[in-house]
Amino acid sequence: MIKIHNLGFPRLGENRELKFALERYWRGEIDQPALDEIAAEIRQRHWRLQAGCGLDFIPAGDFSYYDHVLDTSAMLGVVPERFGPLTQPLGLDTYFRMARGRATDGQAYRACEMTKWFDTNYHYLVPELELDQQFALSSTRLFDETGELQALGFNPKPVLLGPLTWLWLAKSRTDFNKLDLLDRLLPVYGEIIQRLAGQGVEWIQIDEPILVLDLPVAWSSAFETVYHRLQNNAVKILLATYFGELNAHASLTCKLPVAGLHIDLVKGIEQLTHVLDNFADHKVLSLGLVDGRNVWRTDLDSALAIVAGVRERFKGELWLAPSCSLLHVPIDLELETALDETVKPWLAFARQKLSELAVLRRAVEEGTAAAEPELSASSAAIRSRRESGLGHNQAVQARIAAIDEAMGRRRSSFTVRREQQQIRLRLPRYPTTTIGSFPQTPEVRRVRHEFRQGLLSEQDYNQLMEQQIEHCIREQEELSLDVLVHGESERNDMVEYFGEQLDGVLTTAHGWVQSYGTRCVKPPIIYGDISRPSPMTVRWITYAQSKTGKPMKGMLTGPVTLLNWSFVRDDQPRSATAYQLALALRDEVLELEKAGIPIIQIDEPAFREGLPLRQSQWAEYLDWAGRAFRISASGVQDTTQIHTHMCYAEFNDIIEAIAGLDADVITIEASRSDMELLDAFIDFRYPNDIGPGVYDIHSPNVPTTEDIVSLLKMAGERISHKQLWVNPDCGLKTRQWDEVRKALANMVEAAKILRSAEMEGGVLP
């Protein structure tokens, strides 16, 4: 018997119901019982959907109010002292203080640091550890949700983030070996497993994705000790790995004392031979055959061939599953009623992916004739996509072939450019700016929605957008910011906006995916060769520049971020798609320059995110990713200043590649880490200008002038004050105007204090 299961499901609901409920809770419009009731309804709806797809096991514990890594920290009682005393069980307000720096009491806290979950666009909250860290079971949510699922008559498979992966992702402000905490940590994991066993659970899924990384010997060796200690005769453990291949860890992992192993065959098909060479027939082997991170339909014929090959060598029990949690894809393709009818059959969202598993099981167990209609439809869709000329553009291919080294190189060195740019821009020391977007109020969203629905004429829409742009400019001028932006009121999202205007790209109506907390995006679907049929931003930014005498910054999303934050075609190398995006953006950059825009920001927050998980593959990625950025940016004159923005990523190990982008100014997230991210810039001596973020825009807290001065002082200890810009961590679209005005006023005042201190002898207060 082959069983099918799922590693995790999207959390927010088809219509983002959880997002809106959480935001109402934070505003005090509903209480916790009402929030819990909405959350329970969403969970149960998702469980029924999965059960309807025929799953033998349904995950419990994959739901979260904010982040599953934070959930694990809360369950283990890992709450930094600044959030107040640890309570049993941990209160929801404490949880939200850790996540966003504020709960319903309105008091401000420094939120936990946030960074990317492996090489995805999902953000997790970084656990904070102390040398004397104590652990205690402090949340019952996993047990409660497991009980909910059982009460519905379904078979639960509770999901736990493994102890070694959780420790690996954690950080400490003091230097000690995190593995030394295992003796205190494992008893709590043992208590969790024992309690789940007491609920009658048959299987527990423990996720250890760090097994696909290059681990130090001490960490890989720790797995055997950990899983020997976590054995429990009353319950079986499925160890789940994903996002890559086990490689050197294959033999070790296969021999761990667990009842089952899940491997990702979408990202790591080559590992299958190594696993089969080492895996015992008395265990369960779970094959991740359906892509949990992209939206392309599974080639069921190829998947069946893989299963047949495995069955020839492996005589134990086989399970079939998505490659990883379906958290990274939208819920249901059937909600998309306006997609191109040629492309739509090529796609599968979460619901369709689970149905594919059911077809695979039926075909394996009963023969292909039993699943003939579904297999035929799959084959027809795969063939249609392969043979369609819809995604091929000879002109684009010719441009790619004509790329040369000169296209990726600025005319002069940064030193020369900086001098010419300063003559043109006349900026003060510690120039102040923002990252691009300003608050997207309900009014702004209403105008965009009505225009899309045909309820507003193009003339009226343009007029209302121009009013919003003027409003943003007046606000910035009153705040005395040095470099202005137009506010991006016309943009629904920094990636989707461009996807809507590029050929070879589709956008969806309901394809929501969680980025962090309540932040959701609809990644574009890149199905073919990419080109830019017309200007995408020039109209709005030139209008903005006409309304102010201060320098205006044109805002673009970079080629690597457009690539990494889209669902990308898988029929050509990602590098080829990146170069196509780069050429489209290069055209936009040159047109902005021609229109007189003196500063152009090409955002690359996903630059590090795309870094392969294995270090041996870094050089190739950094080469083509850096080249793609430079192609987009390097056609301009020396007097045009190029900015880029990066956020929520560690830079230490790729600092040379970041410098190699040769952006005149780089702005980065730094406030939550107390400028620790700037440590990478100390030894390397980063040559160009840097704007370390001093305002955490993912929190409703307003930083004081003193806070910002303190952060800039820390920054000045790491890099030259002559290189420093002053800016928030990221765009301001998710914030409210009253917060933004206060925060930016304090930021500008901090810059003035630094300028005065420099004039009076360089001593900061």
Side-chain angles (χ1 to χ4, degrees):
M1 286 287 293
I2 287 182
K3 292 187 169 123
I4 57 176
H5 71 113
N6 185 21
L7 276 67
F9 200 77
R11 302 159 179 164
L12 298 180
E14 291 178 353
N15 298 303
R16 298 174 291 160
E17 299 95 317
L18 183 62
K19 165 189 169 66
F20 299 123
L22 284 167
E23 290 171 351
R24 289 175 63 200
Y25 174 74
W26 294 335
R27 292 194 299 265
E29 296 172 4
I30 61 173
D31 59 13
Q32 184 174 339
L35 175 64
D36 289 339
E37 183 178 348
I38 294 168
E41 191 280 326
I42 294 169
R43 284 195 298 271
Q44 292 171 23
R45 191 191 330 147
H46 290 174
W47 289 335
R48 289 190 175 96
L49 182 155
Q50 293 175 81
C53 293
L55 296 189
D56 295 288
F57 296 99
I58 298 175
D62 55 329
F63 179 86
S64 177
Y65 275 135
Y66 207 94
D67 163 50
H68 62 278
V69 181
L70 178 62
D71 293 345
T72 306
S73 301
M75 183 163 56
L76 299 172
V78 180
V79 178
E81 288 185 5
R82 66 182 179 277
F83 299 112
L86 177 63
T87 59
Q88 303 286 348
L90 185 74
L92 192 60
D93 278 359
T94 301
Y95 176 90
F96 286 134
R97 289 183 194 114
M98 295 170 68
R100 56 193 297 269
R102 185 177 297 190
T104 55
D105 60 4
Q107 187 173 346
Y109 299 82
R110 179 171 57 84
C112 292
E113 190 176 334
M114 188 162 60
T115 194
K116 299 295 179 66
W117 173 247
F118 293 83
D119 58 348
T120 76
N121 183 33
Y122 178 81
H123 303 61
Y124 72 90
L125 276 300
V126 180
E128 296 179 26
L129 299 175
E130 302 294 341
L131 177 61
D132 59 351
Q133 186 70 54
Q134 300 299 313
F135 303 94
L137 184 55
S138 302
S139 172
T140 64
R141 285 194 175 274
L142 177 60
F143 315 120
D144 297 340
E145 290 170 18
T146 298
E148 282 180 43
L149 209 161
Q150 290 171 319
L152 293 174
F154 301 137
N155 194 8
K157 174 168 56 67
V159 178
L160 274 171
L161 182 59
L164 286 165
T165 293
W166 181 83
L167 266 183
W168 178 268
L169 299 176
K171 63 176 291 185
S172 172
R173 297 187 182 276
T174 57
D175 186 23
F176 66 91
N177 184 356
K178 291 184 288 186
L179 290 175
D180 290 342
L181 298 177
L182 278 174
D183 283 341
R184 284 177 247 158
L185 175 62
L186 292 181
V188 182
Y189 267 87
E191 186 179 351
I192 294 167
I193 292 170
Q194 184 61 43
R195 184 158 174 176
L196 289 169
Q199 290 183 255
V201 167
E202 181 184 0
W203 281 90
I204 297 173
Q205 174 186 317
I206 300 185
D207 291 355
E208 292 284 14
I210 63 166
L211 280 163
V212 306
L213 305 180
D214 297 312
L215 294 176
V217 172
W219 282 82
S220 56
S221 299
F223 274 90
E224 187 171 3
T225 300
V226 165
Y227 282 90
H228 271 290
R229 291 181 61 177
L230 292 183
Q231 285 184 93
N232 188 309
N233 293 330
V235 68
K236 299 172 185 176
I237 291 175
L238 176 74
L239 187 72
T241 66
Y242 41 80
F243 298 155
E245 299 182 344
L246 291 169
N247 286 359
H249 304 315
S251 176
L252 161 75
T253 307
C254 289
K255 294 172 183 176
L256 291 174
V258 294
L261 173 66
H262 172 83
I263 55 175
D264 181 343
L265 296 183
V266 175
K267 286 283 190 177
I269 187 63
E270 293 180 2
Q271 69 183 316
L272 185 55
T273 298
H274 301 294
V275 170
L276 294 175
D277 286 343
N278 292 278
F279 205 63
D281 286 343
H282 68 271
K283 295 183 177 183
V284 166
L285 180 59
S286 170
L287 306 179
L289 294 169
V290 173
D291 194 342
R293 289 181 56 178
N294 212 331
V295 294
W296 303 110
R297 192 167 186 158
T298 303
D299 184 337
L300 296 181
D301 292 336
S302 296
L304 285 172
I306 293 172
V307 175
V310 172
R311 293 187 91 186
E312 288 180 4
R313 295 193 54 191
F314 178 66
K315 305 309 177 186
E317 185 176 350
L318 273 184
W319 292 6
L320 306 181
S323 57
C324 60
S325 170
L326 296 176
L327 171 69
H328 310 286
V329 296
I331 290 180
D332 192 354
L333 182 63
E334 292 309 309
L335 298 173
E336 302 300 329
T337 58
L339 277 181
D340 184 284
E341 289 303 318
T342 301
V343 177
K344 186 174 179 179
W346 304 348
L347 306 175
F349 292 179
R351 186 173 196 158
Q352 289 70 40
K353 291 176 183 294
L354 295 181
S355 296
E356 288 177 331
L357 291 176
V359 173
L360 287 171
R361 175 172 61 182
R362 188 161 70 253
V364 172
E365 291 190 339
E366 303 175 27
T368 55
E372 194 280 332
E374 295 90 344
L375 293 176
S376 293
S378 171
S379 297
I382 298 299
R383 186 169 56 254
S384 167
R385 185 180 171 210
R386 184 172 58 246
E387 297 174 356
S388 171
L390 190 62
H392 300 285
N393 185 318
Q394 290 185 347
V396 173
Q397 295 295 334
R399 288 194 74 187
I400 294 293
I403 292 175
D404 58 22
E405 288 302 315
M407 290 184 71
R409 191 170 55 242
R410 294 290 295 270
R411 289 173 169 79
S412 304
S413 68
F414 171 68
T415 303
V416 172
R417 301 195 311 261
R418 187 190 210 182
E419 183 177 344
Q420 294 189 33
Q421 290 163 16
Q422 183 57 24
I423 292 171
R424 180 184 186 185
L425 298 172
R426 301 180 180 278
L427 296 174
R429 190 80 83 192
Y430 304 105
T432 57
T433 189
T434 63
I435 302 305
S437 60
F438 270 85
Q440 299 234 335
T441 62
E443 172 66 14
V444 170
R445 295 190 180 97
R446 181 190 63 78
V447 169
R448 282 206 312 263
H449 176 74
E450 290 183 356
F451 178 59
R452 286 172 177 271
Q453 297 297 312
L455 303 175
L456 200 62
S457 70
E458 183 173 359
Q459 181 179 353
D460 288 342
Y461 171 76
N462 290 342
Q463 184 178 1
L464 289 167
M465 285 294 109
E466 288 174 354
Q467 290 174 7
Q468 287 295 327
I469 289 171
E470 284 202 61
H471 170 67
C472 286
I473 290 172
R474 298 289 89 82
E475 291 279 356
Q476 293 172 84
E477 288 180 332
E478 288 180 17
L479 289 163
S480 298
L481 287 161
D482 299 307
V483 172
L484 310 190
V485 297
H486 80 293
E488 303 181 15
S489 294
E490 80 285 2
R491 304 186 191 184
N492 45 13
D493 175 75
M494 66 180 291
V495 174
E496 186 180 9
Y497 174 80
F498 292 94
E500 290 173 334
Q501 301 183 76
L502 293 168
D503 286 347
V505 183
L506 290 177
T507 55
T508 65
H510 303 280
W512 295 105
V513 176
Q514 184 181 20
S515 179
Y516 65 85
T518 58
R519 168 70 171 146
C520 311
V521 294
K522 289 186 290 173
I525 300 170
I526 300 176
Y527 68 89
D529 291 337
I530 298 164
S531 61
R532 166 188 169 272
S534 60
M536 300 180 286
T537 67
V538 176
R539 183 215 189 285
W540 304 113
I541 299 171
T542 52
Y543 176 80
Q545 185 66 83
S546 73
K547 297 299 178 180
T548 182
K550 291 195 170 187
M552 178 63 58
K553 184 166 58 169
M555 303 302 306
L556 303 174
T557 302
V560 181
T561 296
L562 288 175
L563 180 85
N564 287 329
W565 288 2
S566 297
F567 293 122
V568 183
R569 59 189 295 189
D570 55 3
D571 59 345
Q572 70 177 15
R574 290 174 71 85
S575 57
T577 306
Y579 293 149
Q580 293 177 6
L581 288 163
L583 289 173
L585 288 167
R586 183 183 180 93
D587 294 343
E588 186 77 8
V589 167
L590 292 176
E591 199 142 353
L592 285 169
E593 181 182 57
K594 184 179 178 181
I597 304 303
I599 303 174
I600 302 169
Q601 181 170 306
I602 307 172
D603 288 337
E604 286 291 18
F607 187 81
R608 194 193 192 287
E609 174 186 309
L611 199 66
L613 298 179
R614 296 284 183 178
Q615 197 161 354
S616 61
Q617 300 168 347
W618 284 12
E620 179 185 3
Y621 166 78
L622 292 171
D623 178 67
W624 64 254
R627 189 182 189 206
F629 177 86
R630 291 191 299 274
I631 288 169
S632 71
S634 296
V636 297
Q637 301 296 318
D638 289 347
T639 52
T640 298
Q641 190 174 78
I642 297 293
H643 290 219
T644 191
H645 172 66
M646 297 182 178
C647 58
Y648 298 101
E650 298 289 342
F651 302 127
N652 300 53
D653 42 12
I654 61 166
I655 187 64
E656 290 188 29
I658 291 174
L661 300 179
D662 198 24
D664 298 303
V665 182
I666 179 175
T667 53
I668 64 172
E669 176 274 327
S671 65
R672 284 199 181 190
S673 68
D674 282 344
M675 296 292 158
E676 284 182 6
L677 288 177
L678 288 182
D679 289 348
F681 296 84
I682 299 175
D683 296 332
F684 180 73
R685 306 292 296 175
Y686 187 78
N688 300 11
D689 288 354
I690 307 173
V694 294
Y695 166 20
D696 176 13
I697 66 88
H698 294 88
S699 169
N701 298 333
V702 174
T704 66
T705 301
E706 293 74 17
D707 291 336
I708 296 172
V709 168
S710 176
L711 286 171
L712 289 169
K713 184 176 180 180
M714 284 187 266
E717 293 169 353
R718 292 164 168 83
I719 55 178
S720 169
H721 63 281
K722 296 179 181 179
Q723 296 173 270
L724 279 176
W725 282 60
V726 182
N727 48 261
D729 275 343
C730 202
L732 300 166
K733 66 178 292 185
T734 61
R735 302 269 49 93
Q736 303 298 315
W737 269 109
D738 58 338
E739 303 165 5
V740 166
R741 289 188 189 97
K742 295 172 186 175
L744 293 183
N746 292 344
M747 190 183 82
V748 170
E749 181 61 25
K752 291 177 180 177
I753 290 172
L754 265 64
R755 291 169 194 157
S756 297
E758 187 174 298
M759 291 177 63
E760 295 169 6
V763 180
L764 292 178

